[in-house]
């Protein structure tokens, strides 16, 4: 069986190890969603990952409601991302951009427009805005004549990602965001070709993936799903009946890899004890399968590889606090704990100031 430290081919990308950096929203871009020089240092520090998947990155102003998160819809954003990808490549790394539309989790105080979704629903709780926490708003359903424009936004963001030097892109279809709002039946009440049956509810996922592949190629296109219970208020009455066919259609499209976020009872964006679907998805997805959530040790991650379900592991918060995570896992060195108070703050504290192993030992 392979180890975490063995190389792996992810579509068109050769990764030196199976320790991926999961997407981690950090809020260090500008208010105009333009990457900053501080982000260059952050990603460079973590270039020893087999593959970095960036923080969720907006495909459009409409779809990006998180304060100070980066985007990929303007020339200014493309230019600002280029030093990031250059730095990662110069350090020997590989990096995919994660493409994000938040759907109903956008707040109008950030985007200046009503949020959109599959149906007229609202996320429970409060949104994170520039003015602090505000109750989520009821979204309006996307009209059929708006879907082509949404697909165009994904295409533009993909072209911009490649122009910025990214090695590929990952479509964010998890965690209760727009595509997940179309997938699951407690958020999708449509009676048109995007609602009702599983085939219809997976239609947007398929169309977005096909459009991205038309630009980047299947070998540089990945997808993230969260085949679990409640995820930020989005859930499904039959997760296996939904996500296994979704994984099969992605397998048929030949994507580079599929990442599954499967949190346990104490996980973020989905505190659930729903049985994990990764074993069932493994049976229908022929490409590399990457598992994520709650992996914080070599033993736990290696067990997932040994089971034959996972081909690689995406580490999230563990990578946040440990820029040299692969070496720490290889050597058995202690891990830095992360500081939740600085996860989404501005500046270098809790971002680029976590010590590397050689600094600690010096």
């Amino acid at each position: 069986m392979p180890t975490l430290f063995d190389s792996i081919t992810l579509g068109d990308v050769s990764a030196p190890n199976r320790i991926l950096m999961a997407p981690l929203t950090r809020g260090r871009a500008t208010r105009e969603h333009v990457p900053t020089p501080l982000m260059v240092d952050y990603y460079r520090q973590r270039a020893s990952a087999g593959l970095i998947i960036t923080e969720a990155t907006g495909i459009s102003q409409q779809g990006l409601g998180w304060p100070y998160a980066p985007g990929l819809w303007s020339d200014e954003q493309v230019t600002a991302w280029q030093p990031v990808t250059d730095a990662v490549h110069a350090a020997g790394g590989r990096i995919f951009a994660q493409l994000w539309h938040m759907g109903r989790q956008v707040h109008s105080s950030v985007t200046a427009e009503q949020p959109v979704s599959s149906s007229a629903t609202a996320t429970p709780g409060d949104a994170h805005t520039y003015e602090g926490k505000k109750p989520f708003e009821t979204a309006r359903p996307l009209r059929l004549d708006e879907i082509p424009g949404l697909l165009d936004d994904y295409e533009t963001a993909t072209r911009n990602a490649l122009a910025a030097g990214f090695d590929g892109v990952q479509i964010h279809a998890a965690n209760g965001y727009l595509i997940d709002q179309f997938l699951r039946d407690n958020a999708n009440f449509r009676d048109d070709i995007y609602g009702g049956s599983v085939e219809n509810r997976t239609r947007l996922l398929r169309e977005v993936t096909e459009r991205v592949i038309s630009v980047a190629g299947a070998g540089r296109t990945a997808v993230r799903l969260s085949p679990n219970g409640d995820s930020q208020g989005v859930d499904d009455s039959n997760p296996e009946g939904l996500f296994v066919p979704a994984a099969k259609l992605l397998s048929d499209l030949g994507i580079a890899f599929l990442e599954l976020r499967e949190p346990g009872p104490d996980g973020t964006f989905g505190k659930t004890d729903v049985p994990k679907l990764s074993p069932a998805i493994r049976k229908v997805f022929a490409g590399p399968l990457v598992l994520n959530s709650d992996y914080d040790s070599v033993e736990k991650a290696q067990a997932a590889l040994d089971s034959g379900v996972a081909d690689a592991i995406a580490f999230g918060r563990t990578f946040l606090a440990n820029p040299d995570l692969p070496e720490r896992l290889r050597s058995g060195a202690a891990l830095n704990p992360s500081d939740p108070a600085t996860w989404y703050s501005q500046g270098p504290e809790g971002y680029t100031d976590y010590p590397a192993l050689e600094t600690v030992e010096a």
Side-chain angles (χ1 to χ4, degrees):
M1 298 298 293
T3 74
L4 284 172
F5 310 104
D6 290 329
S7 62
I8 184 172
T9 299
L10 301 169
D12 293 345
V13 175
S14 296
N17 60 61
R18 296 166 187 246
I19 302 168
L20 277 57
M21 178 174 161
L24 295 158
T25 296
R26 304 306 312 276
R28 260 67 174 195
T30 70
R31 192 160 178 147
E32 291 71 39
H33 307 293
V34 177
T36 59
L38 189 62
M39 293 168 60
V40 176
D41 293 335
Y42 173 75
Y43 284 109
R44 179 197 292 118
Q45 289 174 352
R46 290 156 179 79
S48 63
L51 173 69
I52 293 172
I53 307 169
T54 69
E55 61 207 282
T57 301
I59 63 167
S60 64
Q61 181 65 70
Q62 178 197 67
L64 184 53
W66 191 276
Y68 303 109
L72 261 173
W73 65 83
S74 73
D75 290 343
E76 185 180 10
Q77 291 162 344
V78 171
T79 299
W81 271 117
Q82 287 169 344
V84 174
T85 61
D86 286 347
V88 170
H89 292 149
R94 300 137 195 84
I95 183 168
F96 272 32
Q98 189 189 59
L99 304 184
W100 196 27
H101 192 302
M102 297 173 66
R104 72 183 192 179
Q105 296 197 44
V106 163
H107 195 277
S108 63
S109 68
V110 179
T111 62
E113 63 178 281
Q114 183 182 6
V116 298
S117 185
S118 56
S119 302
T121 62
T123 300
D126 296 326
H128 181 51
T129 78
Y130 289 113
E131 291 80 36
K133 297 289 187 179
K134 293 187 176 185
F136 282 107
E137 301 163 312
T138 298
R140 66 172 181 84
L142 273 169
R143 302 187 311 271
L144 275 177
D145 64 358
E146 292 179 291
I147 301 294
L150 175 67
L151 299 177
D152 290 344
D153 288 341
Y154 275 99
E155 177 177 339
T156 296
T158 303
R159 293 189 186 280
N160 286 343
L162 299 179
F166 285 101
D167 298 296
V169 298
Q170 183 191 63
I171 300 163
H172 195 343
N175 295 9
Y177 296 118
L178 181 67
I179 296 176
D180 211 13
Q181 292 159 29
F182 272 79
L183 287 173
R184 304 211 225 186
D185 62 13
N186 89 326
N188 184 341
F189 305 114
R190 301 176 74 99
D191 58 6
D192 58 21
I193 61 171
Y194 292 94
S197 67
V198 168
E199 180 182 7
N200 282 355
R201 284 184 282 126
T202 57
R203 187 182 305 274
L204 183 64
L205 171 65
R206 177 176 57 78
E207 291 179 344
V208 168
T209 306
E210 288 174 339
R211 182 65 72 89
V212 170
I213 287 174
S214 74
V215 177
R220 297 187 184 276
T221 300
V223 174
R224 178 182 244 214
L225 296 174
S226 49
N228 47 33
D230 181 274
S231 188
Q232 302 196 86
V234 174
D235 205 349
D236 195 82
S237 61
N238 182 10
E240 184 168 0
L242 167 65
F243 286 106
V244 172
K248 177 64 166 60
L249 79 82
L250 294 171
S251 181
D252 291 344
L253 291 173
I255 63 172
F257 65 90
L258 174 61
E259 182 193 8
L260 303 180
R261 190 173 192 284
E262 296 186 297
D266 299 320
T268 55
F269 297 143
K271 299 174 175 63
T272 176
D273 56 3
V274 172
K276 294 186 176 183
L277 291 180
S278 47
I281 287 173
R282 172 76 286 173
K283 295 176 182 178
V284 301
F285 187 76
L289 193 62
V290 179
L291 299 188
N292 167 254
S293 197
D294 304 326
Y295 290 98
D296 54 8
S297 68
V298 169
E299 291 76 19
K300 189 181 296 186
Q302 187 61 50
L305 298 188
D306 293 344
S307 73
V309 174
D311 296 296
I313 302 296
F315 290 82
R317 283 170 284 180
T318 319
F319 236 127
L320 181 156
N322 297 275
D324 53 351
L325 182 62
E327 182 54 36
R328 286 177 182 264
L329 294 178
R330 187 190 302 273
S331 66
L335 299 178
N336 300 319
S338 68
D339 177 14
T342 61
W343 284 357
Y344 310 122
S345 62
Q346 300 284 276
E349 183 181 2
Y351 188 62
T352 56
D353 61 351
Y354 284 108
L357 197 56
E358 64 268 18
T359 305
V360 175
E361 294 175 343

